[in-house]
Structure formats: structure tokens, C-alpha cells
Amino acid sequence: MSRKIPMILILALLAALLVPSLAFAVNVTLTLSSNTANPGDSVTASGIADPDTWVAIKVLDGAKSVIVLDPVKSDVNGNYSCTFKVPPDFSGSTLIVVAGYGENVDTKELTIGGGGNVADNTPPVWPSGSALTPSEIGQTSLTLTWTPATDNVAVTGYTVFIDSALYKTVNSGTLTCTASGLSAGTQYTFRVEAGDADGNWSTTGPSATAKTKTESGPGSSGGPTSSPQAVDTTTGSASVAPGLGGKISLGSDVSIEIPSDALNGTANVTVTIRKVNSPPAIPAGFSLQGNVFEFTVGGNASYSFNKPVTLTFTYDPDSLADGEIPAIYYYDEISAQWVNLGGDISGDTITVTVDHFTKFAVLTKEVMRAAEQQPLEQQPQFSDVPASYWASDVINKLSGQGYINGYPDGSFRPDNSISRAEFATVLVKAFKLPAASGKVFDDTANHWAKDHIAAANAAGIVSGYSENSFGPDDLITREQMAVMIVKAAKIEAATEEITFTDGDAASAWSKDALAAAAQAKIMQGYPDGTFAPQNKATRAEAVTVIANALE
């Protein structure tokens, strides 16, 4: 765009761009492709803003006069990018680049040389959160897309590696590459590096792994399909399709597994894990195991999911003192407190399911001397479980013992339903069932509760709908719960007839268990004489039944 911009056009654009400032939710960020340029050079300004929002890119000279003004609209994920040219006749030493709308702006300084070559001995760098994302995965090809690197002068190209072997070099204006000639059903590791005009190349570019589709039989074209696979990356950031989900890891430190349809909407969103350099203070008497991590979706650190996601943290068991037990905590920004979520420990990892993002960490409570020790059982108080709630005592007792967790927002949601996987998990913890190689069903092979379901199956407590199906995410009915608890607690068969007015509604396979549970006073009917065997059990009912069985 010309340097000589009519003032009326500038005022009109700025007025239009002020509107989003009334309700912006994302702080605008600005990154320049180079912090140094010569007159006539092209520079790319990119960053994050509110989704679908016009962002003004303004370039100011030393007198604060606007010499370039380009509006650009961010995409559905808030990403924007705009390339402008330094005026060939500019004679100053510095330009100020401003991006944003209203008062929501970010500013960067661009140093201008006098023409000719600029000394360049520094390789390009990759900003935090840089990602390489495979998509359109077929049997013999796939598409790679990456976020841009930056350089002290300018990035001039990118190289793509497949399993450490150089595959292709593309120019700096290209942020995508089609990898072809791959073998069907094979997992590959891809990496991208950035270079500059003086031959300096980065060595820490983002990487990702992907597996090509398997052969589908005679007549298969072997080309890419329109449906991408779930993401699986160790770079700490990836663009995720809500209908597919995936796994994002930050090295070996922490990972998140997102099931399909857990993310809101249908458009791809960027999921990022980052270490928090200045974390909230760790409470006295506790030790931090590793780092504090913040998880974001589309730049939003307080995202709520449609269904639970699984977080897995790695810690060093050898660093713990005798008696110290690690637990996952989240930071409640409102109360400014760390809240215990518990977690399932396996070797050097600890796992928890959550439905909300914030800051998370693994903490251990320092072990006190015997004379100073307090009762080990915690009594957490949940925001939606007042002392007057009918099941408050058993909820606090079982959650304090680590058998069941609350939610990151401090609630327990006692009247919510509970899934078959969740109930089986609580049973395994409460009855301290050993890990065992029980049945792994087709629909539990990649489920967060796979090990607990296998342990419950090995103990003869649970079985599937069929040889291959367990239905882990199905909400458990009261009659299913009765069968499981009778088997877990080894309750003897009823010696007298127990009748309910809706007894005919119970499935034949559950009637003996219903009678045994009722006679042992582990489960009860309702005041109107019904048992409601087909009703979905609530979280409060589930913990009450387990607490009764443990007495």
C-alpha cells in the first residue's frame, strides 16, 4: 500500500477497527519475521488476536506518521498474518510496527539498515508454541503444516526431514509441504528447520509423528483421504480437529489426551502446553515435583470441555521422601489456592481426568515427624456439597481417601450421572484391587480407565455387553451398579424375598443382585416403594453405595 494514505481513509479504518475493543478476550500478540530490514525489504507481521476480527497493521516513522496501513482479518482461531514492504526511499533508522484494534495492541521495533547486506551470523529461532501438524493422511502421502520461524534478518527457507533424512526444501513464503511416496501403515517422524540467506539453519524446529493409513484392499488408490487422523505430537502444541481429538505432549514431561468431540465447535483449534516461568507460590509444607504447566485452547487458559480429557504428568519417584505421595493440583485463580485433584499413580507417571483448563502441577505434602502428624484422611469441602446435603459425609470421606475426585472448579456435582468406567475405577480404588491383566475390550483399548476396567474384570466384578464391547462412557444404571457392588463386596445371596413395586422393570440378570444389595442395606429403594432399576445412578448414590459396602 502506498505511503501516501488519505487521512480520511486512515480515520475510517481506525474507527471500524475500534469496535472489537469493546469486548476483546485475547491480548493481541505481534511477531515480525525479522527485527532488521533494509529499504525495499518485505517484512511479515503475524500473531494472535480475537477470532474473525479485523486487525490494523500500522507502520510508523520517527515522527509517528503512518507510512503503511494494512488491515487484515484474523481466522477462526485468531491467527493473522500480513506482509508489508519497507518504503524504498525510507532514510530513517527505526520503524515502529503496531498491530491491534482499539486499545488492544502490541508493538515491535524494526531496525532499518542503509541498504546492502546485513551481517547475519545467527540462525533462525522458533517461538514458544511452534508446531508441525500432519493432516490429510492417506496411505502413501500426507500434508505437513507449520508455524513460521523468526530470524534477526530474514528467514529464507525451510527444510523438511522424514525420519532424520532431508526430504524437501521450500521457500520462506511456504508453510506447508506434501510428503509423498510413503509406505502404507507406517509411522514416520517429521521435522522442519528454518534457514537464512547466510546459510544459518535452526536445529530445534518442531517435530511430529504420524502413521499412514493401512492398505484397504484391491482397488485402493493409495492417495490421501479427506479425513485427517487424530493428532499425536510431542512438540507441546498442535491444531486439533474437535471430531478427532488426539494426544499432545510436551516432551516426556506432560501430555493431554483429548477424546473426539471433547472440544467445542467443529473448526480446528490450537491446543498448547507450556511451562510457567513465574508460577503461583507453592503453599507451605508442600514440594513442587517438576514444573507448573499451563494448558490453553485457542489461547484461552480457562477452557471448558464437552467431556473429560486426560492429563498425565511424569515425576521422579526417587526424589520423594518416605511416605510422600504425589498428587495433581490445579490452581484456582479466584481463590488463589492450589486444589488437590488426586490422580492415578503408575510407575513414574500420575494421571487425572479434568473437564476444565488452568494451571496444573504435581505436588507432594511434606511428611511430618510422628509427633507432629495429623490424621492422613483429607476432608475436602466442595462448593456444591453443603453440610446439609444428604450424602455430604460419604462424599467428603471417599474423596478424602482418594477414591473419587471432584472437578477443577471446586465442585463435586453430586447429582450428575456417573459412567460405567468411572464407577469401575472408584470400585477398584476403594476395594484396593490389584492391577491385573483382565479383559481389554475393543472400546477400552485406548480409554483412560483401561487398566481399572481390566482389574475389575479380572476380579470378576465387571463384564462387557459382548466379547468386544464394554461401553465405558455409558452412564451406569442402578441395576448395573447393584450387580457390580454385590460382586465387589462378595455379598451373599438374599435369604428372603425383597419386593419393590417396580420389580418387573428390573432385568432378569440383575434381580438376585438387587435383592442381595437391598437385604444387606447397601442399596435402598425410594419412599414410594420403587427401586428404579433402569434409572441412571448419580455420583452421590454411587459413593453412598460404595461407602455402605465398605462398612
Side-chain angles (χ1 to χ4, degrees):
M1 184 174 289
S2 172
R3 292 178 58 195
K4 297 179 180 179
I5 302 169
M7 184 55 65
I8 189 170
L9 176 59
I10 295 175
L11 293 176
L13 286 171
L14 292 177
L17 292 167
L18 281 174
V19 175
S21 69
L22 298 176
F24 59 79
V26 175
N27 290 329
V28 172
T29 64
L30 170 63
T31 300
L32 300 180
S33 58
S34 173
N35 295 322
T36 305
N38 291 315
D41 286 351
S42 294
V43 178
T44 298
S46 60
I48 304 253
D50 287 298
D52 295 318
T53 301
W54 283 103
V55 181
I57 308 298
K58 296 184 291 184
V59 182
L60 312 177
D61 62 14
K64 299 297 188 292
S65 298
V66 179
I67 63 172
V68 175
L69 174 59
D70 276 331
V72 60
K73 194 171 186 180
S74 62
D75 62 20
V76 294
N77 295 318
N79 298 302
Y80 72 87
S81 180
C82 174
T83 299
F84 64 89
K85 179 175 288 189
V86 178
D89 58 347
F90 181 73
S91 59
S93 62
T94 303
L95 291 174
I96 301 299
V97 183
V98 182
Y101 34 86
E103 297 179 356
N104 189 11
V105 298
D106 194 8
T107 303
K108 289 291 184 290
E109 185 175 284
L110 180 63
T111 301
I112 306 300
N117 295 327
V118 177
D120 183 10
N121 299 312
T122 305
V125 296
W126 294 90
S128 175
S130 295
L132 173 65
T133 305
S135 63
E136 299 182 351
I137 301 174
Q139 294 175 9
T140 61
S141 66
L142 54 77
T143 298
L144 298 170
T145 305
W146 57 90
T147 52
T150 62
D151 188 63
N152 62 317
V153 176
V155 174
T156 58
Y158 296 95
T159 53
V160 177
F161 295 84
I162 302 179
D163 290 340
S164 300
L166 177 62
Y167 174 71
K168 182 180 289 187
T169 299
V170 298
N171 62 44
S172 60
T174 301
L175 298 176
T176 185
C177 169
T178 298
S180 57
L182 307 177
S183 299
T186 304
Q187 180 165 297
Y188 294 91
T189 298
F190 303 91
R191 190 179 88 253
V192 61
E193 299 293 353
D196 59 27
D198 283 357
N200 301 305
W201 286 91
S202 67
T203 58
T204 59
S207 63
T209 59
K211 186 177 182 179
T212 53
K213 291 186 177 296
T214 56
E215 296 284 358
S216 56
S220 171
S221 65
T225 68
S226 59
S227 299
Q229 290 185 337
V231 167
D232 187 356
T233 180
T234 60
T235 64
S237 182
S239 178
V240 182
L244 295 174
K247 180 178 181 180
I248 299 96
S249 304
L250 185 59
S252 60
D253 293 337
V254 61
S255 67
I256 173 176
E257 293 185 50
I258 304 174
S260 61
D261 299 320
L263 292 164
N264 301 311
T266 57
N268 283 28
V269 290
T270 300
V271 179
T272 302
I273 310 171
R274 72 174 187 90
K275 294 180 181 178
V276 180
N277 295 325
S278 299
I282 304 302
F286 287 80
S287 299
L288 175 63
Q289 303 298 321
N291 295 279
V292 175
F293 298 92
E294 184 172 59
F295 299 75
T296 60
V297 176
N300 188 350
S302 58
Y303 188 89
S304 294
F305 292 89
N306 292 326
K307 61 174 70 172
V309 299
T310 303
L311 305 182
T312 300
F313 295 77
T314 300
Y315 71 99
D316 181 10
D318 294 334
S319 68
L320 305 184
D322 290 342
E324 285 187 340
I325 299 176
I328 296 175
Y329 285 70
Y330 80 91
Y331 188 69
D332 186 333
E333 300 284 354
I334 297 177
S335 65
Q337 292 182 339
W338 287 96
V339 180
N340 188 353
L341 289 176
D344 296 331
I345 300 171
S346 177
D348 62 351
T349 64
I350 180 169
T351 301
V352 72
T353 58
V354 300
D355 65 355
H356 181 78
F357 266 175
T358 178
K359 297 179 180 71
F360 294 87
V362 177
L363 304 180
T364 54
K365 188 172 184 179
E366 297 172 359
V367 177
M368 295 181 291
R369 295 188 299 271
E372 300 173 341
Q373 285 185 356
Q374 300 296 321
L376 294 179
E377 184 175 303
Q378 304 173 16
Q379 293 293 323
Q381 297 296 317
F382 299 101
S383 60
D384 56 351
V385 185
S388 59
Y389 188 78
W390 67 270
S392 62
D393 288 344
V394 292
I395 289 173
N396 289 333
K397 180 178 180 180
L398 265 67
S399 61
Q401 292 171 327
Y403 300 152
I404 190 169
N405 299 321
Y407 292 88
D409 63 358
S411 67
F412 184 80
R413 306 176 194 176
D415 298 321
N416 279 17
S417 300
I418 185 170
S419 70
R420 285 165 55 84
E422 290 170 331
F423 188 72
T425 297
V426 180
L427 276 181
V428 169
K429 292 181 179 180
F431 285 90
K432 297 179 173 56
L433 299 180
S437 55
K439 172 72 176 178
V440 176
F441 300 87
D442 288 351
D443 55 0
T444 65
N446 297 311
H447 197 273
W448 63 267
K450 175 185 70 174
D451 293 340
H452 289 119
I453 294 171
N457 175 265
I461 295 173
V462 303
S463 57
Y465 296 135
S466 66
E467 180 67 19
N468 300 316
S469 174
F470 180 79
D473 296 321
D474 292 351
L475 301 179
I476 195 169
T477 63
R478 284 171 54 81
E479 66 177 4
Q480 291 173 346
M481 184 168 66
V483 172
M484 291 186 192
I485 197 66
V486 165
K487 291 179 178 179
K490 297 180 172 58
I491 298 171
E492 296 180 357
T495 57
E496 56 187 57
E497 184 178 1
I498 305 295
T499 59
F500 294 100
T501 59
D502 59 348
D504 291 341
S507 303
W509 50 263
S510 71
K511 290 185 176 181
D512 289 344
L514 294 179
Q519 179 174 298
K521 300 189 183 306
I522 289 175
M523 292 185 70
Q524 299 178 359
Y526 295 99
D528 62 357
T530 63
F531 188 87
Q534 303 298 333
N535 281 12
K536 302 298 188 291
T538 67
R539 285 167 56 84
E541 290 175 334
V543 296
T544 300
V545 166
I546 292 174
N548 290 342
L550 291 173
E551 291 181 352

